[in-house]
């Protein structure tokens, strides 16, 4: 009100802080909340949700997304269009999956994670044994492990995280993965690690 009453006062207020880059990050998040909160709520009529899936309160599932049997989607999670959440996969609360994210079966995700378009979690790791007949052929090793993602993780566009061969591939809390990164099977990424593209 004071700014409007005094036309000689500039239309902005300078803010001094010891960590301006962090302040910029927090302000950018604050402005972006408006966009996120206005994403469509509810389950789109073209989405396919298996009757044995468990969907929490305030969940949004976009057009043509598929939620398979036994999947669990935590409260206030937003799933964009053309996403797949595989059988037995568990998503915590307040996650955001942008369009075209694929979570294979039995992936476990914490809360407040962001997955960008084209991210794939839980694909088979590259496991093959030489054929015993010395033909040069390869015998596939089924990947029986899973992927476990902590809280507050962000995974960039077209980044892949392969499931473990027997144990789990693990991504710790607060990890930030940029676009087009490949995390191989059985890798363990510690808390608050950041990796740039490729």
């Amino acid at each position: 009100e004071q700014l409007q009453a005094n036309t000689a006062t500039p239309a902005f207020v300078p803010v001094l802080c010891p960590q301006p880059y962090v302040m910029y990050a927090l302000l950018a998040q604050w402005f972006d909340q408006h966009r996120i909160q206005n994403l469509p709520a509810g389950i789109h009529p073209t989405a396919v949700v298996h009757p044995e899936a468990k969907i929490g309160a305030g969940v949004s599932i976009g057009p043509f997304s598929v939620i398979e049997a036994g999947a669990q989607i935590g409260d206030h999670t937003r799933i964009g269009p053309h996403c797949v959440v595989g059988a037995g996969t568990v998503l915590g609360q307040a996650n955001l999956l942008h369009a075209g994210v694929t979570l294979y079966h039995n992936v476990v995700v914490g809360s407040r994670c962001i997955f960008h378009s084209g991210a794939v979690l839980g694909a088979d790791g590259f496991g093959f044994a030489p054929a015993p007949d010395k033909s040069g052929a390869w015998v596939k090793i089924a990947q029986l492990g899973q992927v476990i993602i902590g809280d507050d993780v962000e995974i960039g566009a077209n980044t892949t995280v392969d499931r473990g061969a027997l144990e789990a591939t693990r991504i710790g809390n607060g990890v930030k993965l940029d676009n087009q990164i490949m995390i191989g099977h059985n890798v363990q990424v510690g808390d608050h690690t950041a990796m740039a593209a490729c």
Side-chain angles (χ1 to χ4, degrees), residues 1-190:
E1 292 176 359
Q2 290 178 345
L3 291 178
Q4 292 174 350
N6 185 355
T7 56
T9 304
F12 61 88
V13 176
V15 176
L16 300 176
C17 64
Q19 295 180 307
Y21 203 50
V22 174
M23 179 60 71
Y24 162 68
L26 294 173
L27 284 171
Q29 287 182 30
W30 185 78
F31 283 115
D32 198 40
Q33 282 304 308
H34 177 74
R35 177 190 64 82
I36 292 172
Q37 290 168 359
N38 285 328
L39 292 173
I43 299 173
H44 193 274
T46 63
V48 178
V49 179
H50 195 280
E52 293 177 10
K54 295 180 181 176
I55 309 299
V59 168
S60 173
I61 301 175
F64 302 104
S65 286
V66 175
I67 313 299
E68 295 183 347
Q72 299 177 42
I73 312 297
D75 295 348
H76 308 294
T77 288
R78 296 178 181 270
I79 298 173
H82 296 278
C83 291
V84 175
V85 178
T89 285
V90 176
L91 284 166
Q93 297 184 358
N95 290 296
L96 174 59
L97 279 63
H98 289 281
V101 171
T102 300
L103 307 181
Y104 278 57
H105 59 283
N106 297 326
V107 171
V108 176
V109 176
S111 295
R112 300 172 306 279
C113 296
I114 300 171
F115 301 149
H116 291 275
S117 295
V120 177
L121 282 65
D124 283 355
F126 192 73
F128 299 92
D133 59 7
K134 302 191 186 307
S135 65
W138 297 94
V139 178
K140 180 175 178 61
I141 300 170
Q143 304 293 290
L144 305 177
Q146 60 183 147
V147 172
I148 299 176
I149 306 288
D151 296 331
D152 303 301
V153 171
E154 185 158 353
I155 296 180
N158 295 321
T159 286
T160 59
V161 181
D162 285 350
R163 70 177 52 252
L166 293 173
E167 302 296 327
T169 301
R170 294 179 184 271
I171 307 295
N173 295 323
V175 170
K176 311 303 180 190
L177 302 179
D178 199 359
N179 302 332
Q180 299 181 344
I181 290 175
M182 165 66 198
I183 303 294
H185 57 183
N186 301 340
V187 167
Q188 312 288 303
V189 178

